[in-house]
Structures are given as structure tokens and as C-alpha cells.
Amino acid sequence: MSEHVEWSEPEGPAPAATAAVTPADAADAARLVSFGLQPKLQPARDQEYADLLRRYREDPPFARLADAVATGLGLIVLEVSPRAGMAVTAAEDSVFAVRMGDYARRTSADGGDRFLHGLAHLAVAAMAFPRPEDLADDGYIGRVTVNGVDAFVRQACRRLEERAAEQGENTDPATDTPGLEAAWRIWVRRSATGATKDARRLAGSTTGIVAKAVAFLTESGFLQRTGDDNGGTYRTTARYQLQVRDMAGSAAMAELLELGVVPVTDGTPTLLPAEESDDLELVADAGLPFHSS
């Protein structure tokens, strides 16, 4: 009686064990995220930052670890690249989220003017990247000026007022009407500059509101000041482009662009009549670089 012998394929080499995450790895991942929370820090000017970015791109396990650290902190990673660094934005429940109330306090804004500040931020984004192709082009740099943003909003206000009159809508709402839906009516009535006795711009004027918005965006690493003409001139950064991409689908952004913004290159607003469409009211707090409440 012959013995039965089972044949099998030769065993291949055992798969390499996944290297365990070390405390040093976790520290490096957290360090990279901390760099991402410093929006003005440029990878090209910090060797450690550049090295960690290179490791993120070349070491997938390290990249997953850094992403996990960011997620645990309530951050959303928008991009990790030499141009933008580790660009992150805060989720609504993150401790790093900047809320409209916090922004108002930082800018000493009157509670009734919060929606005007929201409209200013929305207008800066719309002027900086007026076309979808501008947002898609990593090399595109938008330019805005304080006076240009104010003029742009006033043109949009006039267009909306004309449309409301044509449709027989109330063009004289109560002054305490809340939300961005009434912002265009109040903005156009507000003084563009105003002035104190020593010729300083009034904080509550519309250019004062825009100036606060661009100052906040500059402090946040989204804009860079390039000059003093037209109330202050600014250029966009890669981080701001990523931020606006993230909010480009918001109703408020879409509705503002439907008014007919054409490409701008020097911070000067240009507005063309748009096709007739309904529901052009702006949505409160939509498309802002901070969260409501």
C-alpha cells in the first residue's frame, strides 16, 4: 500500500511585517500638522517643514498618520504640496474653527453689521477668482483692492435693486432685517468711507468693513498685501485658492457670480448684466472662511 503524499506549491517569502509606528513618527506627523496651522509659514523658508512635506509625499504610511492626526484635531486636509504646504481648514466642530461671532469680536464689529462683514468676505472671494478656470489653475493669482471690492459690491447692489424694482418687490425693508438677504440694501446706503476728524477711515464704513476683511485674510495667510493704492492692494495665496475651491459650490458664491462678474486682473471690478434667474438672495453665512454662530 503506497503512502499518499500531498503536493503543494512552494511557500513564497513571508510578507514583510508593517513597521510599527513609533513615538518619533507620531511626533513628526503632529509637527507637520502644526506647520499647517501656521498659514504664513512658507515651506521654502523652513527646512524642517520642507523635509516633512517630502516625507509625506514619499512615505504613504507617514502620510496616513499625518492625515489621522489632522482628522483627530477636526481639520480637513485640502492639499499637501510645496506650493501650499500642508493646507488645512477647520471642520465646524473643530477647536480651531473661527466663528462669525469670534470674527465680529476680533474686528469690533457691531452685531447688526455681521452680515455686512460676511458679504465683504464673499465679495473678496468672488473678485479674486471670478471664473471656474481661475480656481482650477494652480498658477493663477487673483488681485483685489479695498476700493475695488466696495465698488464691486455697490454695482451688485444696484443690479439687485433694479431687479427688485422690476419685479415689484419691496426695496425699503425694515432696518433690522437679519441675514445677508438684506445686505445689499443696507450696504448701498452705508457711507463708502466716512471720515473722522483726523481723516481716518471709519470702521463702520463699507471700505472700513472691507479693510477688516482683507486684514483678517492676510493674517490668516490667504492674502498678501502688495501696496497702498485704492485703499490697499492684495494678491491671493495658494491657500486662499484652496479655501475658495472648497466653498465654490456654496449658494451665496454662485448667486453673486450669476450677476455677471467678468475676469479681473488688477482689483478693478467689472459687472455685466446676467441672464434672468430666480432666487438671487444671498444665503446667510454661506461660503465664508469661518463658521456661523
Coordinates of all heavy atoms in Angstrom, one line a residue, residues 146-147 150-151 154 186-195 201-211:
V146 N -9.2 97.2 -1.8 CA -10.3 97.5 -0.9 C -11.3 98.3 -1.6 O -12.5 98.0 -1.6 CB -9.7 98.3 0.3 CG1 -10.9 98.9 1.2 CG2 -8.9 97.4 1.2
N147 N -10.9 99.4 -2.3 CA -11.9 100.2 -3.0 C -12.6 99.4 -4.1 O -13.8 99.7 -4.4 CB -11.2 101.5 -3.6 CG -10.7 102.4 -2.5 OD1 -11.1 102.3 -1.3 ND2 -9.9 103.4 -2.9
D150 N -15.3 97.3 -2.7 CA -16.5 98.1 -2.3 C -17.3 98.5 -3.5 O -18.5 98.4 -3.6 CB -16.0 99.3 -1.5 CG -17.2 100.2 -1.1 OD1 -18.2 99.7 -0.5 OD2 -17.2 101.4 -1.5
A151 N -16.6 98.9 -4.6 CA -17.2 99.3 -5.8 C -18.0 98.1 -6.5 O -19.1 98.2 -7.0 CB -16.2 99.9 -6.8
R154 N -21.2 97.5 -4.6 CA -22.2 98.5 -4.9 C -22.8 98.3 -6.3 O -24.0 98.6 -6.5 CB -21.5 99.9 -4.8 CG -21.3 100.3 -3.3 CD -20.6 101.7 -3.1 NE -20.5 101.9 -1.7 CZ -21.4 102.4 -0.9 NH1 -22.6 102.7 -1.4 NH2 -21.2 102.6 0.4
I186 N -28.7 97.5 2.6 CA -28.0 98.3 3.7 C -26.7 98.8 3.2 O -26.3 99.9 3.5 CB -27.9 97.5 5.0 CG1 -29.3 97.1 5.5 CG2 -27.2 98.3 6.1 CD1 -29.3 96.2 6.7
W187 N -26.0 97.9 2.5 CA -24.6 98.3 2.0 C -24.7 99.6 1.2 O -23.9 100.5 1.4 CB -24.0 97.1 1.2 CG -22.6 97.3 0.9 CD1 -22.0 98.2 0.0 CD2 -21.5 96.6 1.5 NE1 -20.6 98.1 -0.1 CE2 -20.3 97.1 0.8 CE3 -21.3 95.6 2.4 CZ2 -19.0 96.6 1.1 CZ3 -20.1 95.1 2.7 CH2 -18.9 95.6 2.1
V188 N -25.6 99.6 0.3 CA -25.6 100.7 -0.7 C -26.0 102.1 0.0 O -25.7 103.1 -0.4 CB -26.6 100.5 -1.8 CG1 -28.1 100.7 -1.4 CG2 -26.3 101.3 -3.0
R189 N -26.6 102.0 1.2 CA -27.0 103.2 2.0 C -25.8 103.6 2.9 O -25.8 104.7 3.4 CB -28.2 102.9 2.8 CG -29.5 102.7 2.0 CD -30.6 102.3 2.9 NE -31.8 102.1 2.1 CZ -33.0 101.7 2.6 NH1 -33.1 101.5 3.9 NH2 -34.0 101.4 1.9
R190 N -24.9 102.7 3.2 CA -23.8 103.0 4.1 C -22.8 103.9 3.4 O -22.5 103.7 2.2 CB -23.2 101.7 4.6 CG -22.1 101.8 5.7 CD -22.7 102.3 7.0 NE -23.7 101.3 7.5 CZ -23.4 100.3 8.3 NH1 -22.2 100.1 8.7 NH2 -24.4 99.5 8.8
S191 N -22.2 104.8 4.1 CA -21.1 105.6 3.6 C -20.0 104.7 3.1 O -19.6 103.8 3.8 CB -20.6 106.6 4.6 OG -19.5 107.3 4.2
A192 N -19.4 105.0 2.0 CA -18.3 104.3 1.4 C -17.0 104.4 2.3 O -16.3 103.5 2.5 CB -18.0 104.6 0.0
T193 N -16.8 105.7 2.8 CA -15.6 105.9 3.5 C -15.9 106.5 4.9 O -15.5 106.0 5.9 CB -14.6 106.8 2.7 OG1 -15.3 108.0 2.4 CG2 -14.1 106.1 1.5
G194 N -16.7 107.6 4.9 CA -16.8 108.4 6.1 C -15.5 108.9 6.5 O -14.5 108.7 5.8
A195 N -15.4 109.6 7.5 CA -14.1 110.1 8.0 C -14.2 110.6 9.4 O -15.2 111.2 9.8 CB -13.6 111.2 7.0
R201 N -10.3 106.5 8.1 CA -11.5 105.8 7.6 C -12.3 105.3 8.7 O -11.8 104.7 9.7 CB -11.0 104.7 6.7 CG -12.1 103.9 6.0 CD -11.5 103.0 4.9 NE -10.4 102.2 5.4 CZ -9.5 101.7 4.6 NH1 -9.6 101.8 3.3 NH2 -8.5 101.0 5.1
L202 N -13.6 105.5 8.7 CA -14.5 105.0 9.7 C -14.6 103.5 9.6 O -14.7 102.9 8.5 CB -15.9 105.6 9.5 CG -16.1 107.0 9.9 CD1 -17.5 107.5 9.6 CD2 -15.8 107.2 11.4
A203 N -14.5 102.8 10.8 CA -14.5 101.4 10.8 C -15.9 100.8 10.3 O -15.9 99.7 9.7 CB -14.3 100.9 12.2
G204 N -17.0 101.6 10.5 CA -18.3 101.1 10.1 C -18.6 101.5 8.7 O -19.7 101.1 8.2
S205 N -17.7 102.2 7.9 CA -18.0 102.5 6.5 C -17.8 101.2 5.7 O -17.2 100.2 6.2 CB -17.0 103.6 6.0 OG -15.7 103.1 6.0
T206 N -18.3 101.2 4.5 CA -18.1 99.9 3.7 C -16.7 99.6 3.4 O -16.3 98.5 3.4 CB -19.0 100.0 2.5 OG1 -18.7 101.2 1.7 CG2 -20.5 100.0 2.8
T207 N -15.9 100.6 3.1 CA -14.5 100.4 2.8 C -13.8 100.0 4.1 O -12.8 99.2 4.1 CB -13.7 101.6 2.2 OG1 -13.9 102.7 3.0 CG2 -14.2 101.8 0.8
G208 N -14.2 100.5 5.3 CA -13.7 100.0 6.5 C -14.0 98.6 6.8 O -13.1 97.8 7.3
I209 N -15.2 98.1 6.4 CA -15.6 96.7 6.6 C -14.7 95.8 5.7 O -14.3 94.8 6.1 CB -17.1 96.6 6.3 CG1 -17.9 97.2 7.5 CG2 -17.5 95.1 6.1 CD1 -19.4 97.3 7.2
V210 N -14.5 96.3 4.4 CA -13.7 95.5 3.5 C -12.3 95.4 4.0 O -11.6 94.4 3.9 CB -13.8 96.1 2.1 CG1 -12.8 95.4 1.1 CG2 -15.2 96.0 1.5
A211 N -11.8 96.6 4.5 CA -10.4 96.6 5.0 C -10.2 95.6 6.1 O -9.2 94.9 6.2 CB -10.1 98.0 5.5

